[in-house]
Amino acid sequence: MHLERHSIERVGWLRAAVLGANDGIVSTASLVLGVASANTSSSGILLAGVAGLVAGAMSMATGEYVSVSSQVDTENAALAQEKGELENDFQGETQELTSLYIKRGLNPTLAREVAEQLMEKDALGAHAREELGLTETNSAQPLQAALFSAVSFSAGAILPLIVAWLAPHAYISAFIILTTLFSLAILGYISSVVGNASPVKAIIRITFWSAMAMGLSIGVGHFAGQNLI
């Protein structure tokens, strides 16, 4: 038996992991940079960073769970509707599946034969795949997405905190910017390798927009420090 594994099979957890790690690094680094730009003490910077890590991890996990759970509800509703249609009009659903195969290039006789055999073995599964586009590979998994998001966010957020803790107070911003951009470049490369995508494109995309976010945070933090504190 010849089995193949494709990068698309990893798209669910890869998206959650990359999003979580990227958000953890960028949001925590931006938060620390914004607070540091407001002439805050080292202890205040660390406190803000820790609070950002905890709040961000919980927010990512909750958001992913709710979002993916909503997707599951939608998929289940579509499957329930399809199940009802199969019970009420089995022949009509067979013809519908036949038409789908004809549109994909099979001749009418072969399309009808394939549809009948699939309907006999697993009618709902056949329609879930061919009509609704639902498979085990891309099925929504709320707990998996929530866990990966929380863990990856925390892993990413730890880096700016460690840098802020170890770096001299006068150079916190510079050290955080450099280490953040470097770590994001590595993250972009890893995600591109896992997903079989272009490393250069992934690195440029992740570092450019993250640099924009940090720059804006520094500007806002400096403005707040000068005018609101």
Side-chain angles (χ1 to χ4, degrees), residues 5 8 23 32 34 36 55 57 84 95 103 110 122 144 146 153 166 178 185 188-189 217 219 229:
R5 295 187 64 85
I8 191 65
D23 196 21
V32 170
Q95 183 57 46
K103 291 180 180 179
L110 180 58
D122 182 10
Q144 182 191 64
F153 181 97
L166 297 177
L178 292 176
Y189 176 78
S217 297
I229 299 178

Side-chain angles (χ1 to χ4, degrees), residues 203-226:
I203 292 172
I204 292 176
R205 179 174 57 218
I206 197 171
T207 54
F208 174 79
W209 290 109
S210 299
M212 294 287 288
M214 289 188 293
L216 181 61
S217 297
I218 291 174
V220 172
H222 180 74
F223 174 83
Q226 294 293 323

Side-chain angles (χ1 to χ4, degrees), residues 10-191:
R10 300 185 290 262
V11 68
W13 67 261
L14 176 62
R15 184 190 71 85
V18 171
L19 176 62
N22 178 77
D23 196 21
I25 295 172
V26 176
S27 63
T28 305
S30 298
L31 175 62
V32 170
L33 287 171
V35 174
S37 299
N39 297 320
T40 307
S41 65
S42 297
S43 60
I45 294 173
L46 287 175
L47 178 60
V50 171
L53 185 155
V54 175
M58 295 301 100
S59 176
M60 286 289 292
T62 302
E64 279 292 315
Y65 184 82
V66 171
S67 175
V68 179
S69 294
S70 297
Q71 181 181 340
V72 171
D73 292 341
T74 302
E75 292 177 358
N76 289 338
L79 288 173
Q81 178 182 345
E82 197 63 36
K83 184 177 181 180
E85 293 174 354
L86 287 169
E87 293 174 351
N88 296 326
D89 187 11
F90 191 87
Q91 290 302 319
E93 291 299 300
T94 302
Q95 183 57 46
E96 182 180 27
L97 193 60
T98 300
S99 299
L100 290 174
Y101 287 126
I102 292 175
K103 291 180 180 179
R104 294 188 179 185
L106 298 182
N107 65 66
T109 301
L110 180 58
R112 181 73 183 187
E113 182 180 351
V114 171
E116 289 178 347
Q117 290 187 18
L118 290 177
M119 291 284 285
E120 181 179 350
K121 181 179 181 180
D122 182 10
L124 183 59
H127 278 270
R129 291 189 305 271
E130 305 300 338
E131 185 179 351
L132 304 177
L134 300 179
T135 65
E136 293 182 359
T137 299
N138 60 16
S139 61
Q141 301 181 48
L143 288 177
Q144 182 191 64
L147 178 62
F148 268 98
S149 294
V151 172
S152 58
F153 181 97
S154 300
I158 287 176
L159 177 63
L161 286 180
I162 293 177
V163 174
W165 178 42
L166 297 177
H169 182 72
Y171 301 103
I172 285 180
S173 294
F175 273 84
I176 288 179
I177 291 173
L178 292 176
T179 54
T180 295
L181 292 178
F182 179 73
S183 61
L184 288 172
I186 295 177
L187 178 62
Y189 176 78
I190 293 175
S191 65

